[in-house]
Amino acid sequence: MSQSPVPDRERIRAQYRDAFDRPASARLATPAMMLLAGGVFVFGLADLGFSPARLLSGLHQLGWITLMMLPPDPGSSLPLYLKALGETLSIALLGTTLAAAFALPVSLLAARNIVPSGIVRFPVRRFLDSIRGVDTLIWALVWINVVGLGPFAGVLAIAVSDFAAFGKLFSEAIEGADQKQVEGIRASGGTALHEIRFGLIPQVLPVIAGQVLYFIESNTRSATIIGIVGAGGIGLQLAEQIRVLEWQKVSFLILMILIAVAAIDWISSRLRFAIIGRRAVA
């Protein structure tokens, strides 16, 4: 067997001088950034009052609370809790549906392949960014002061928050659609509306449906959180039971929430696979 030629190290070093003879600043940049990140982390722990002793004592208290949660027991409040869970699911479903319905036409204005001019597209995108920058919990507090306590405020909070998120996601899906179908409709004499209706929407509809289904699952948890501040649903009941230290009822409410989220996740997964399978057959 013939031996492979020995590489000329000096020739390779001269040819790739930038890789072998890196300046000291380039070699020290990564360690310096790691040291800086470590320093910021340690400073943050000290500034926020991190204490291992407090953590250990808190874990001890958490253990006692966990023992007091067993066994989960709704007492005589099971019908009330089931009604509250229904409110939470309704808040998530209605809020997500309203957000998707209003976001779809706005997302067309934010898509580059629909509106090439930045004069219209730029303010629409910044408008969506400004709404998306406010958390759902803040929107819940705002709408509670506008329309009062109850699930209606929760629906509006989720609808406004998800409207901006859907606007961004839908516009990105539209921008990523295959333009061959659009060009075929244009070549056959179709109008701009025909291009959107028959060229873009059928392509992005499965993606949009999958995103909406995921947000319904996620908003079930969000609806629980905003219920704590007065937007109705099972979150309000959870906050009340924590306030009066009824830990067995708290654990039962948490168990109800977990079962509901798992069921919604299973249903949405089946629906997503059905949509994807139907698209593949088509």
Side-chain angles (χ1 to χ4, degrees), residues 183-258:
E183 294 171 357
I185 295 173
R186 185 184 304 129
S188 62
T191 64
L193 291 178
H194 290 148
E195 294 174 9
I196 296 172
R197 169 62 182 86
F198 299 103
L200 289 176
I201 297 300
Q203 293 187 65
V204 301
L205 194 58
V207 178
I208 290 175
Q211 292 170 346
V212 171
L213 290 171
Y214 171 75
F215 269 72
I216 290 175
E217 174 201 339
S218 176
N219 285 334
T220 303
R221 297 186 292 270
S222 299
T224 303
I225 299 301
I226 63 177
I228 294 176
V229 299
I234 201 170
L236 182 61
Q237 299 296 328
L238 184 62
E240 289 294 330
Q241 299 309 318
I242 291 175
R243 190 174 297 113
V244 297
L245 305 180
E246 290 285 349
W247 296 113
Q248 287 181 306
K249 293 185 177 181
V250 169
S251 63
F252 186 83
L253 289 169
I254 294 174
L255 185 61
M256 289 179 65
I257 295 169
L258 293 176

